[in-house]
Amino acid sequence: MLPKKVKNPWNRYCELMRRHPKAFVQSDGLPIITDPFAVSEFANQTGVEIGVIYESPVWFWVVDLVQGPEGLVASERLLPVRKEAEVVAIPVYNDRYFVLVEEGRQVLKNARLAFPRGEGIPGMSPAQNAAERLAEALQAEVLSYGMLGSLSLDEASGGGSAYVILCRITQPDVGVGDSGLPRLVLCSMDDLKWKIAAGEIGDLITLGAYGMLAARI
């Protein structure tokens, strides 16, 4: 995806500073100037925009205002996009059945079974995120949970990381998925092993979460 021009570079810059302060640590040699008046005055005098100028799913093109040896100067850099860690929930119903969901596929041959997961939400803990995702996907409540660890995701999965959380849940709503079959599948541990061996579960993130689960049992 091509980068897009940011409509309000300075506002986006301030938002980025709040969310990722470590990317704006001050340097003794070239301190970053963040005073809005100084930034506005520099931009008016030079015609150089200060802030986040372009952004894409993987990086921000940032122009800082810094105090150089001979006065204020604009300094360009690229910042990688730092996503909140995703959450992979392993739902367990009745202390026996693991719940898999049919991940948004329109035809049966492409249907994919996976543990429910979702993108990280700023300000929300992994457990809260998992509970919200399971309420949405399964119409179930989380009774208790345990953190199994985290997975490092490859670039094909969007990069970043994902927390893996084992969740005891209330009875899920099975419903019907896009394939016309039940959109949820309840499996025992033996069923999970068989489906993986048979190639019915090929989602890499789900397989990684299963590996963490198997190591604990």
Side-chain angles (χ1 to χ4, degrees):
M1 182 181 296
L2 293 175
K4 64 179 181 179
K5 182 75 167 63
V6 176
K7 292 182 178 179
N8 194 318
W10 180 246
N11 284 354
R12 191 75 174 100
Y13 187 88
C14 292
E15 179 186 351
L16 209 60
M17 283 195 295
R18 288 192 298 270
R19 293 181 59 182
H20 305 292
K22 290 183 180 180
F24 297 87
V25 174
Q26 293 289 2
S27 164
D28 292 336
L30 293 171
I32 299 173
I33 306 302
T34 58
D35 175 65
F37 177 79
V39 169
S40 177
E41 186 176 38
F42 179 87
N44 290 335
Q45 290 177 354
T46 64
V48 176
E49 285 188 297
I50 302 297
V52 180
I53 310 303
Y54 290 94
E55 64 177 297
S56 79
V58 294
W59 54 259
F60 300 102
W61 179 20
V62 173
V63 178
D64 299 297
L65 180 62
V66 300
Q67 180 65 57
E70 298 181 2
L72 296 177
V73 295
S75 176
E76 300 177 3
R77 56 180 171 144
L78 289 179
L79 288 179
V81 172
R82 292 173 171 82
K83 300 195 303 182
E84 300 289 334
E86 295 185 19
V87 167
V88 181
I90 303 180
V92 185
Y93 170 59
N94 205 25
D95 293 325
R96 179 180 177 185
Y97 298 107
F98 299 94
V99 185
L100 297 163
V101 299
E102 180 186 295
E103 290 285 326
R105 293 294 183 267
Q106 298 297 323
V107 292
L108 178 59
K109 67 180 181 180
N110 287 330
R112 181 180 68 174
L113 294 176
F115 288 132
R117 66 175 181 265
E119 295 182 356
I121 301 174
M124 184 177 289
S125 71
Q128 291 171 324
N129 195 344
E132 183 166 299
R133 174 61 182 142
L134 293 177
E136 174 188 323
L138 313 184
Q139 285 76 58
E141 295 182 7
V142 174
L143 300 173
S144 63
Y145 68 90
M147 185 78 72
L148 296 185
S150 64
L151 294 171
S152 295
L153 307 182
D154 61 21
E155 291 302 320
S157 302
S161 61
Y163 293 107
V164 180
I165 305 179
L166 183 65
C167 301
R168 291 180 60 249
I169 62 170
T170 58
Q171 183 173 351
D173 178 15
V174 175
V176 176
D178 293 328
S179 68
L181 296 177
R183 64 181 182 84
L184 305 182
V185 177
L186 277 62
C187 302
S188 67
M189 192 65 176
D190 286 340
D191 291 335
L192 278 177
K193 293 177 183 177
W194 184 88
K195 287 182 179 297
I196 291 171
E200 292 186 23
I201 301 174
D203 175 62
L204 294 180
I205 297 176
T206 295
L207 293 176
Y210 168 80
M212 298 183 77
L213 172 68
R216 297 292 188 97
I217 295 178

